[in-house]
Amino acid sequence: QERMDLVTMDREAYRAYEKREAQIAFYDEDVRSAAAEAAKELVAEARAKAAAAEAARRAAQEAAAKAQEAAQEAAAKAAQNKMLEIARNLKARGISLEDIIGSTNLSAEEVQKL
């Protein structure tokens, strides 16, 4: 139908038709360009958010590892303090140095300092 209309158009109508087609092509290209630009911005934003999420995940992992290490150190220190307390009590009761060392796994130097 459009082809038949083109054949029957006068010169002025044909120019108006060409102008309209050129405008449509221009707007289509403009829309495509704007859509491509918006897509690029969305991709960049998504990448930035993914990088931030990854950094937060790593920071959380590091914090958890440090907390676990601190808890282990605290438990070891508490166990050491408990052995020192036991050794102190055994020493106060007159238990031999060798028996205290065997019971607490402390060194002779640590027991003698008590």
Side-chain angles (χ1 to χ4, degrees):
Q1 176 67 28
E2 187 174 307
R3 189 174 207 173
M4 212 162 122
D5 289 345
L6 290 175
V7 172
T8 60
M9 279 186 194
D10 63 11
R11 186 170 259 174
E12 188 176 320
Y14 187 73
R15 281 191 199 132
Y17 168 79
E18 283 184 329
K19 184 177 179 182
R20 183 176 58 95
E21 288 297 311
Q23 287 173 339
I24 290 171
F26 175 77
Y27 290 128
D28 283 350
E29 181 59 34
D30 198 36
V31 167
R32 279 190 215 104
S33 178
E37 197 60 37
K40 286 179 187 176
E41 289 174 10
L42 288 173
V43 167
E45 185 179 319
R47 285 183 179 154
K49 285 181 180 179
E54 179 62 20
R57 184 191 65 77
R58 284 184 185 158
Q61 267 185 332
E62 289 175 16
K66 286 180 182 178
Q68 185 176 6
E69 185 179 331
Q72 289 172 345
E73 288 175 8
K77 182 72 174 170
Q80 176 72 6
N81 288 340
K82 187 65 175 172
M83 287 299 117
L84 290 170
E85 181 184 342
I86 291 169
R88 196 175 294 112
N89 290 338
L90 291 173
K91 190 175 180 182
R93 290 183 180 187
I95 306 296
S96 72
L97 181 66
E98 291 79 21
D99 287 342
I100 295 173
I101 292 170
S103 298
T104 61
N105 292 325
L106 295 173
S107 68
E109 188 177 285
E110 289 173 309
V111 174
Q112 289 171 346
K113 285 183 183 178
L114 298 175

